[in-house]
Amino acid sequence: MCTTEPTSFSLCLAINMSGSICNGRTGDLCTGCPQIIQSSDIQESFCRDVGVNWNSCCSNFANVKELATSIVRLLGNLPVDKYFSVVQFASDARLVSGLSSTGQTLSTISQLSYSGGLDNHASAIHKCQQTLSPSTNEKRIIMLFTDGETGTPDYVPTGAIESAASSAKNEGTLIFTVLVPPDAPDTNEGAIPIFSRISSNGEVFDFTDRDMSSVLQVQERLLNHVSCPQ
């Protein structure tokens, strides 16, 4: 953590729950996380993992929720004013909870129910920025949790994600992108440049390597950027 006093902050977690999170690279949108076979090819039919909490659908989305939970819990221990909001997104973004306490946010994350769909990162950034605008804390931050896929709906114009990010950053908001790909250690290399461009420091915080020491190192860098004075 910081070597100097941390700063107050308001942080919006934008959590991706599109089909690519749970479809095992099959291209299925996994809408509603179906349990039954949807096609004649059994290899392209399942989104739901056995033994995973019903709301989480698959182990990868459960991992996303676990990572978001650990980050909020660690930041929640800082002796500064801090608030968190939660936005879920797939084909569109939806506000799950406005700026709230650490405890309320942890409860919200635990109850997130996977939706499936496409990837509308631009809508997620816009929705997060709306929740952060009223904040008077020293830092306003969007933390974008995604698997690196960019299969956007037809109604989303080309370049929308960069435009949304630029608009938020022009209002003083910091954006950090958190990559949690579904098939570790594989990474969607083609997506790294776009998420690097929208990140305020140019870094994509890649949790591809799920070795515990690697996770802790990436997590520490991310938390330093959130809490330390610039």
Side-chain angles (χ1 to χ4, degrees):
M1 285 292 186
C2 307
T3 56
T4 57
E5 287 297 316
T7 59
S8 64
F9 62 87
S10 295
L11 187 153
C12 178
L13 300 101
I15 298 180
N16 190 335
M17 49 177 69
S18 66
S20 55
I21 294 285
C22 285
N23 67 15
R25 306 292 194 190
T26 64
D28 198 319
L29 293 183
C30 292
T31 304
C33 191
Q35 187 180 26
I36 61 173
I37 296 174
Q38 298 186 87
S39 73
S40 59
D41 185 348
I42 194 168
Q43 296 301 316
E44 298 180 358
S45 300
F46 291 103
C47 300
R48 185 175 295 280
D49 287 339
V50 175
V52 174
N53 177 277
W54 188 265
N55 286 344
S56 295
C57 181
C58 68
S59 58
N60 193 58
F61 188 61
N63 290 337
V64 172
K65 290 168 67 174
E66 182 179 351
L67 176 61
T69 295
S70 67
I71 288 173
V72 170
R73 185 173 286 119
L74 287 169
L75 290 173
N77 289 329
L78 294 174
V80 296
D81 286 336
K82 65 271 181 179
Y83 295 98
F84 304 90
S85 56
V86 178
V87 166
Q88 67 176 58
F89 72 99
S91 299
D92 289 296
R94 182 174 73 85
L95 175 64
V96 184
S97 65
L99 292 173
S100 306
S101 67
T102 301
Q104 290 172 313
T105 303
L106 291 173
S107 176
T108 296
I109 294 171
S110 71
Q111 296 176 58
L112 285 175
S113 184
Y114 176 82
S115 68
L118 292 168
D119 299 89
N120 194 340
H121 295 87
S123 181
I125 293 171
H126 282 306
K127 190 69 70 174
C128 268
Q129 183 61 18
Q130 290 173 5
T131 75
L132 295 174
S133 292
S135 173
T136 58
N137 282 346
E138 294 175 75
K139 280 186 176 182
R140 292 180 296 182
I141 302 160
I142 296 172
M143 192 174 291
L144 187 68
F145 290 79
T146 185
D147 63 344
E149 296 293 331
T150 54
T152 57
D154 292 339
Y155 52 81
V156 177
T158 302
I161 183 173
E162 293 96 331
S163 177
S166 294
S167 177
K169 288 188 282 189
N170 286 341
E171 294 184 32
T173 298
L174 300 171
I175 299 177
F176 299 118
T177 52
V178 177
L179 187 65
V180 186
D183 298 312
D186 296 332
T187 302
N188 183 359
E189 297 292 346
I192 295 294
I194 185 173
F195 290 112
S196 176
R197 288 195 299 273
I198 70 170
S199 178
S200 291
N201 68 340
E203 181 175 1
V204 175
F205 294 91
D206 189 352
F207 286 86
T208 300
D209 186 350
R210 291 176 182 166
D211 174 76
M212 184 54 65
S213 62
S214 298
V215 167
L216 292 175
Q217 289 174 14
V218 177
Q219 186 168 269
E220 182 177 2
R221 293 203 314 275
L222 177 60
L223 296 182
N224 283 340
H225 281 295
V226 170
S227 61
C228 297
Q230 291 184 315

